[in-house]
Amino acid sequence: MRVLITGGAGFLGSHLCDRFLRDGHEVIAMDNLITGSVCNLEHLAGNGHFRFIHQDVTEYLYIDGALDAVMHLASPASPVDYLEYPIQTLKVGALGTHKTLGLARAKGARFLLASTSEVYGDPQVHPQREDYWGHVNPIGPRGVYDEAKRFAEALTMAYHRTHGVRTRIARIFNTYGPRMRLDDGRVVPNFVGQALRGESLTVYGNGSQTRSFCYCADTVEGLYRLLNSDYSDPVNLGNPTEMSIQHFAELINRLVGSGAGIINHPLPVDDPRVRRPDITRAREVLGWSPSVELEEGMRQTIEWFRGSLTGK
Ligand code: UDP
């Protein structure tokens, strides 16, 4: 298979490149590098099955030769990033999805959209099933990401229904692991970086909001299976083990062995109170469920961050 992975220099995109290459496929990664980094791909230099194209996916895409699949992962993906790049976030979700769908259609390729649990906004149904339509503030600071992804899903379904493109939609919940950027502002790199530097962990609000964290290898496996399925409705990919952010902070301090404790900062605007995927559909359609326990995945993630902080 010959596959284009947009956002291929990002955290999840680069793990996906590795996964396709490991299975003997040919990979073209595309990234404009505003939040991705070539460091995530440097181990692939010289690999004859791999090519990197430095391009913004909102511009006209030209790929010569056949393509069997387009995986559209390009987007700023952390609240701090999409607040810094609000217009780019809207553009990559809207124009970038249009360009990549057009490319998939022209090449007769399968198309997978990396959507997000943010389409559910601050959910009033818990846990979130795919048939829940969500509770999103379109003009709030997170709206640039949430609405871009909701538009992207609508456009993906339109290409499926109108042009018969074999599309897939993954709604990815909080994912963590090696190659997250230390400064991307998300809770995992923030807490691990703070704990490793001996600083107090910054819990926003009173820490009672919940999240469910999925290890990147599990998410990548789900994306891979979804692409190869025949299922065109959205599928949640995430780990249903839910915990409060306060509890998560205590876990990180314990795993790192940090005694610096916790300090509270103000809760960001529109921060979802709860989030947990219902993964019944992924189990039934893909035979998929996460297999890496949080403590095990966090130990590997902490070791990776320790190495990057000390330059090893
Ligand atoms: N959070 C926190 N401290 C931090 C960073 C994030 O308490 O230093 C909280 C944030 O308010 C949210 C949760 O952790 O409730 C997850 O935030 P993240 O930015 O990872 O992504 P989100 O799940 O909100 O998209």
Side-chain angles (χ1 to χ4, degrees), residues 31-250:
D31 208 300
N32 67 358
L33 300 177
I34 65 168
T35 60
S37 165
V38 283
C39 297
N40 292 332
L41 299 172
E42 64 188 1
H43 61 289
L44 300 177
N47 184 324
H49 295 283
F50 177 74
R51 182 153 73 103
F52 176 67
I53 302 176
H54 184 188
Q55 194 196 310
D56 190 318
V57 75
T58 64
E59 286 157 17
Y60 180 79
L61 302 178
Y62 174 77
I63 304 286
D64 59 359
L67 266 187
D68 303 293
V70 176
M71 309 279 285
H72 182 35
L73 278 85
S75 178
S78 89
V80 167
D81 284 346
Y82 50 75
L83 295 188
E84 187 172 353
Y85 302 109
I87 295 171
Q88 291 94 327
T89 302
L90 282 158
K91 283 177 70 179
V92 74
L95 308 180
T97 304
H98 186 222
K99 291 281 184 294
T100 48
L101 277 164
L103 180 70
R105 182 184 175 211
K107 299 283 188 185
R110 286 171 184 237
F111 178 87
L112 183 143
L113 172 69
S115 185
T116 169
S117 54
E118 283 282 322
V119 300
Y120 303 121
D122 187 8
Q124 293 173 315
V125 169
H126 192 65
Q128 292 76 54
R129 286 164 38 119
E130 291 87 347
D131 54 11
Y132 174 51
W133 292 351
H135 180 231
V136 170
N137 174 3
I139 57 163
R142 299 174 82 108
V144 296
Y145 184 63
D146 304 7
E147 297 295 7
K149 291 292 190 182
R150 289 167 68 95
F151 175 86
E153 289 198 8
L155 192 63
T156 300
M157 289 310 291
Y159 266 68
H160 175 66
R161 295 190 178 116
T162 309
H163 297 308
V165 177
R166 291 168 297 162
T167 57
R168 316 281 175 253
I169 298 174
R171 290 188 180 151
I172 303 172
F173 284 65
N174 294 66
T175 299
Y176 70 96
R179 301 187 194 157
M180 294 187 96
R181 265 183 21 244
L182 256 177
D183 64 347
D184 92 354
R186 278 184 280 195
V187 67
V188 170
N190 270 16
F191 282 3
V192 175
Q194 288 159 351
L196 289 171
R197 291 188 298 263
E199 299 164 9
S200 307
L201 307 200
T202 54
V203 167
Y204 299 162
N206 64 9
S208 63
Q209 70 273 30
T210 67
R211 293 296 185 272
S212 314
F213 298 100
C214 190
Y215 191 61
C216 54
D218 282 328
T219 308
V220 163
E221 179 63 27
L223 291 170
Y224 196 80
R225 288 193 193 194
L226 180 58
L227 177 75
N228 290 307
S229 77
D230 287 326
Y231 199 77
S232 52
D233 282 348
V235 178
N236 288 339
L237 294 178
N239 191 319
T241 308
E242 178 184 11
M243 70 167 59
S244 72
I245 293 300
Q246 173 72 24
H247 186 177
F248 185 59
E250 290 163 5

